[in-house]
Amino acid sequence: MGLGPDLVAELEAVVGAEHVRTARGDLEPYSRDATPMFRGAPDAVVWPRTAEEVAAVLRLATRHGVPVVPRGAGSNLSAGTLADRGGIVLVLTRMTSILEVDADELLARVEAGVTTAALAEAAAAKGLLYAPDPGSRTVSTVGGNVATCAGGLRGLKYGVTRNYVLGTTAVLPTGEIIRTGGRLWKDVAGYDLTRLLTGSEGTLGVLTEITVALLPMPATTGTGVAYFPSLADAGRAVTAVIGAGIVPATLEFLDAKCIGAVEDYAHLGLRRDAGALLLFGDDGTDDVVARTLDRIGELSTRHAALEVTLAEDVVRSEALLAARRCALPALSRLGTLTILEDATVPRPRLAEMVGRIDEIAARHDVDIATFGHAGDGNLHPTCVVDRHDEDAAQRAHKAFGDVFAAAIAMDGTITGEHGVGAAKLPYLQDRLGADQVALLRRIKAAFDPAGILNPGKLGS
Amino acid sequence: MNLFDPQLLDRCISCGFCLPACPTYALTGDEGSSPRGRITLMRALDTGVLDVDDPRVREEASFCLGCRACEPVCPAGVQYGQLLETWRDLEWAGRDRPLVARLLTTVTAVTPLLRLLGLVRRPARGAGPPDRSLMLGCVERGLFPGVSRAVRRLLPGIAVPPAQGCCGALHAHNGDSQRGEELAHRLGEQLPGVVVTTSGGCAAHLATVLGRERVQELSEHLVATGTTPVGEVRVGGRRARVALQDSCHLRNGLGVAAQPRALVAAVADLVPVPGEATCCGAAGTYSLLRPGDSRRILDPKLDAVEAAGVDYVVTVNPGCLRQLDQGLRRRRSRVRAVHLADLLLDAAGGRALPRPRRRALRAGRG
Ligand SMILES: Cc1cc2nc3c(=O)[nH]c(=O)nc-3n(C[C@H](O)[C@H](O)[C@H](O)COP(=O)(O)OP(=O)(O)OC[C@H]3O[C@@H](n4cnc5c(N)ncnc54)[C@H](O)[C@@H]3O)c2cc1C
Ligand code: SF4
Ligand code: SF4
């Protein structure tokens, strides 16, 4: 298709010729993100450096009616950065300044392309904690995290990205640069546009700068593992933990297939004979951490745990968490096409949902491994099949349709943290209902009258 | 079309975990020069979306250092090094191979020629039992003949067969993996027992062809056989301060990183330096083929080495040794680059290392 020489020249004038690429070989690497099966190459890739450059690019795109897809690290699992209608992929990875980390105000201000790990390190250097902790933290950008409202391994105690975004600088598709929120915990002037932009998946505006709240760094962290005969047993233990009023920082689970895959990759000495494991952790003062870990251990044992072990030191703790973070890619070693989903149910129904997933898998004759954030009912059922087995891929697709329906029927949702993107769009109305979807579209139109920003995704 | 082994190519799930590890991606911030992006380019070749003449495809096949830093961080277990060899076979088949690479691979493959060029000294006949033998290495025996002499003194009795061909690593990395494999097999026949090498690059290539059990890099061999170094290296009346530069293929290909550190720490003060585990830009023939990029990779590393205030930076690979040595000389640094074998021999009282230079001017830097 192409953009036309005029537009290309205008883009070059805005960001510099070396930051606009249109050759086939330059576009191909931007034709996919971490989502399996979805492909679509843009007509141009553009790397802006400042909010003003972003604004100028968006004004041009609006004038020419060309789609613009914002992209951070491209680690999303919902085809959110798919340029399936061509146009411009706007890559924010040159915007990597950490503008400030303020220990008195407990906040940091960063450009959108800073990786989550870099932000966390900069905060840690001043004795502060950036709480959101997505598994992809070494790669994913803060802009991408805010745009998808990323969750993570500490979600139970600390919540998700949304709870930490104090303010943003965002560029609207029409070219206005707005500042939402600011540096305050309390601020109720106007509609909460900061929250609206958080989780808007690059469909309402392009985030260029983000102010996040930090916390004092907890004195200690501790981690433990409990092995169970089955995932259902583990699920019951989780219900018991939450029911006892314990809110640890981390409460993650892996089923037997995931344990095997992670162990193959990370060689941690996990028990391969267990049907499931719970990885739990907490942070705070020494005695609080010790008490939480002990009580979770106790409750696990009471709920059929085969074995409970606590990590002896930080290194071991980190190794266990790192292993959990890589569950998805480790699972992918089992086949050539790995489809990971992201259903969420109310916490007490976790075990029930796991049972439903097993039934659904059996009915469609596919293997579904499941891991996830047990503490917040967020499951990642994952199906690994042979890329070339069309039929198996179809069966997996159907099975996941049923999984989403089951989640919704349990008052759950079709995505807890990965977002809707293009991949979940077909299921969105089932979750929200027609009226709400219509409202979403009106909001989208208010921000983006020409409909150029990330079309075909949320809000379309 | 299956230009690539589908078993290898299908492994990648495009998760992007490899991005932060890749030195060329760090330079450009462009997916196209990241492991994930390069694999996408290979896929595009495989499906015919792009062909081998596409300028970006050609550029990336050459821009990649082949350092394999993307392998250990990849949770899905993608064997990137293998994919790259296939890719370069496709890109650099026959006449398209870069001239420098063609010359080097021709010269190194022919031992008599090497001799004529004075690159090979006829080694003294080793008397040891043939349970292990020392590989001399084509580049090393020309540039740093002292290294294998040092090993012979550290490991008296090791067999050093005089007739040794090339291991073929340069061929495998420069678009001729078939010849690379043949040469490795032939060398395997010439060298009895466990092959001990003083080059991380050769070790990784030989291990791929001959099997991991047959090949040991020097530090690995010393640690595995419990040959503990004696003595210490001193500079100006104190224990020397020494940094270690990993060999990419040793670290990322064979997973050997602890052994050289343990050996250095036994004879000197081992000083950790940021970036010591990432590529120095030598990358086989890379510093000859792409001198500009090679220096862009090297410079921050040299800054870090100098800032750490060390006397020596130790390498375990001749290409890295040459790269660091040249770079340090160019900026008239007081720091010296030395091979691990020389450091250990010096500690044992065998021969004095060159003294760190007195820093003259900082003006000649960069
Ligand atoms: C192995 C693995 C583990 C993961 N673990 C987790 C996890 O634990 N929790 C979790 O929530 N997610 C997880 N993810 C998903 C993914 O990493 C997150 O969605 C992440 O937030 C995406 O960040 P990114 O920088 O890669 O954004 P991208 O993938 O580039 O983009 C994601 C979306 O945000 C939009 N976007 C990106 N940057 C901007 C911007 N500056 N302004 C406006 N819109 C923008 C894009 O248009 C797109 O819609 C994981 C992914 C992988 C592969
Ligand atoms: S090479 Fe490995 S780490 Fe990189 S994108 Fe592919 S699967 Fe992920
Ligand atoms: S081999 Fe090195 S330079 Fe090449 S893609 Fe992998 S990490 Fe990057």
Side-chain angles (χ1 to χ4, degrees), chain A residues 21 24-26 28-35 39 47 71-75 91 93 135-136 138-139 265 325-326 328-330 332-336 338 387-388, chain B residues 6-7 9-20 25 28-32 36-38 40-41 43-44 49-50 54 56-57 72-78:
Chain A
R21 299 275 177 74
R24 190 73 231 206
D26 294 325
E28 197 55 29
Y30 292 88
S31 66
R32 57 167 89 203
D33 50 32
T35 324
R39 308 275 171 269
W47 289 264
R71 177 171 171 123
S75 70
V91 189
T93 52
S136 53
T138 56
V139 208
Y265 166 60
R325 286 189 193 106
C326 71
L328 155 66
S332 77
R333 294 179 170 218
L334 304 176
T336 50
T338 308
R387 183 181 297 280
H388 305 288
Chain B
Q7 290 296 327
L9 206 52
D10 286 351
R11 278 263 76 82
C12 174
I13 56 163
S14 300
C15 66
F17 272 42
C18 50
L19 264 55
Y25 179 69
T28 65
D30 180 357
E31 283 271 351
R36 174 172 66 177
R38 290 185 173 121
T40 304
L41 290 174
R43 285 179 161 143
V49 171
L50 295 172
D54 182 274
R56 183 64 191 258
V57 174
V73 297
C74 171
V78 170

Side-chain angles (χ1 to χ4, degrees), chain A residues 70 72-76 80 92 135-136 141 144-145 147-148 150-151 201-202 207 417 454:
Chain A
S75 70
N76 76 88
L92 296 147
S136 53
T141 65
N145 285 180
T148 56
E201 302 185 26
L207 302 160
E417 56 177 23
N454 216 350

